[in-house]
Amino acid sequence: MNLQSVARFMEKVRGNKVKFNPDRIVMSGGATGAHETLAFCLADPGEAFLVPTPYYPGYDRDLRWRTGIQLFPVVCESSNEFKITRETLEDAYEKAQEANIKVKGLILNNPSNPLGTVLDKTTLRDAMSFICEKNIHLICDEIYSATVFDEPGFISIAEIAEESSVSKHRDLIHIVYSLSKDLGFPGFRVGIIYSYNDAVVNCARKMSSFGLVSTQTQHLIASMLSDDIFVEKFLDESAKRLAERHRVFTRGLAKVGIKSLGGNAGLFCWMDLKRLLKEPTFEAEMELWHLIIDEVKLNVSPGASFRCSEPGWFRVCFANMDDETMRIALQRIHKFVIQKTGLDQPMTRKQYKRSELEISLSFRRLDEFIMTPRMLSSPHSHMTSPLVRART
């Protein structure tokens, strides 16, 4: 495969602010294979990587199942919008040491799944300073790089790696990338490892034999990525559609008082359903989740599955349903919240008539809000990745 085309695409996604050396690229069978390969290269069984919470549940499989390594949580909280701080990193590192667990690295997911947020330059520099001081590795999962649809823009760890203060520690930095999210290619299994460490590149290249990207797929991808006009138009249109879908969906949630974390990237939003819990426990969160799945017929993911430290948060995907499905999903959410917040209690005839009218008008406004000309479905509608599905 022409790794030059892959390198140029990675540069384009990152605003052409950095350069990537094709000789440092190793192809893998999806980001899953890339993560596992790096885990094998960097740690021995029983050793650990720090991971800020909430984090993608697949890490438990990708990084641990066959390697025997551990994931140690860096607990982030809603009071700070789940931001990563130097204090939380230090606290997690100290707790791992107290438990006699050797920490070999830190894993950052930027943009974040499930939060839909990006890491700013200060946070990235703090993380870099932390790993340099501890002499541990930094794996940056950047598979959602091109899904950033609003400010602040995406900053790759590669930008930090090029700063002079980091140069002597550059061999501690490793990037995992994939075409699954940014180009909507999940079934093609095209993963990418980019490492500044020669030994890791050599080891990963040998291990790539166990998870190769097919020759046919490599040829197709190289041909597609070399079409600069197509790539630029695709990325621009994708960002516009994601921004519009996020705007409509989060406003639809807000109409019934559902708050969500202010995100600007990804294919999902992180919504707060704490007020719908019977009590502030993870048992109550699971009970609510089953209710949403079984009765409301909507596919959402509970925060506990992402190792969130606080009950009541849920990830909901918005990028792979057509507009009619989203309208139905929001209607079901709307009706469910109304019932859960008291309108399902016995009412007088006068109260019932007034409530019925309010709900009818509310749904009508919701329909008008969603079914605008800009949101009408198109046979070429680009909506990527796993999604909220309104189940019938």
Side-chain angles (χ1 to χ4, degrees), residues 28-39:
S28 175
T32 293
H35 275 297
E36 185 184 63
T37 298
L38 279 176

Side-chain angles (χ1 to χ4, degrees), residues 65-81:
W65 279 11
R66 297 200 298 182
T67 65
I69 70 163
Q70 302 183 60
L71 297 182
F72 201 91
V74 178
V75 179
C76 303
E77 300 175 340
S78 62
S79 59
N80 190 35
E81 297 183 321

